[in-house]
Amino acid sequence: MNTYMNMLEWEDSAIPHRLWVERLDNGRTRLCMKIVKDVEPEMLYLELPVSQEKVMGAWQGRAAAVSDAYDDGCLYSQVRSLFNLDNGCVVWTVNHIQLADKQKMSADKLAFIPGMTHDQGLLKAILETA
């Protein structure tokens, strides 16, 4: 493992985006995502309250749908879970917009949802065990 930056590989070769984790000096991790198939590439960053090792161990190589996809031909939108952590999950909101010139752009977002987990297509509260 690299002590600064580590790539996370997608199982799906149709997803050209780049995903990696960076170690921060405060013991936290920054998740970075480069959306590469757009008119203008988009960079997304999310600071996570866990180590690089925890993120790399949680990554399964794919995103899992949390919501049904909406697609009217001009707008595609869906929420996907990237991975679960002990204290929450990371979701990726996917938004592709077809512009007037027929090119597409993304307006995506990464978010850490504390106290929630992705399980079989749903976001659920993490239950505390005594």
Side-chain angles (χ1 to χ4, degrees):
M1 182 178 87
N2 185 323
T3 58
Y4 175 66
M5 182 185 116
N6 288 281
M7 294 296 295
L8 300 174
E9 299 295 328
W10 294 97
E11 284 180 0
D12 185 348
S13 61
I15 298 177
H17 309 324
R18 302 288 179 254
L19 190 64
W20 67 93
V21 290
E22 297 174 349
R23 181 183 56 84
L24 300 176
D25 290 335
N26 59 6
R28 296 167 66 98
T29 299
R30 184 165 76 160
L31 179 66
C32 307
M33 185 177 208
K34 182 176 184 180
I35 309 297
V36 297
K37 65 180 179 181
D38 288 337
V39 176
E40 291 290 328
E42 181 181 15
M43 288 296 302
L44 305 174
Y45 301 98
L46 178 65
E47 191 171 322
L48 297 170
V50 296
S51 68
Q52 256 189 352
E53 293 84 5
K54 292 235 183 217
V55 173
M56 292 172 63
W59 175 244
Q60 300 293 307
R62 63 191 173 284
V66 173
S67 71
D68 292 333
Y70 171 83
D71 190 355
D72 68 4
C74 289
L75 172 66
Y76 175 90
S77 186
Q78 185 178 41
V79 177
R80 299 174 184 169
S81 172
L82 290 178
F83 47 83
N84 290 325
L85 297 168
D86 293 340
N87 55 345
C89 67
V90 173
V91 296
W92 167 30
T93 60
V94 180
N95 296 287
H96 300 290
I97 301 163
Q98 184 170 322
L99 303 173
D101 63 4
K102 303 298 183 197
Q103 290 189 311
K104 291 189 177 179
M105 66 166 278
S106 292
D108 293 5
K109 174 119 175 111
L110 294 174
F112 175 70
I113 313 298
M116 300 290 284
T117 187
H118 169 254
D119 183 29
Q120 300 177 7
L122 300 172
L123 287 178
K124 298 178 179 177
I126 295 174
L127 302 176
E128 304 250 348
T129 56

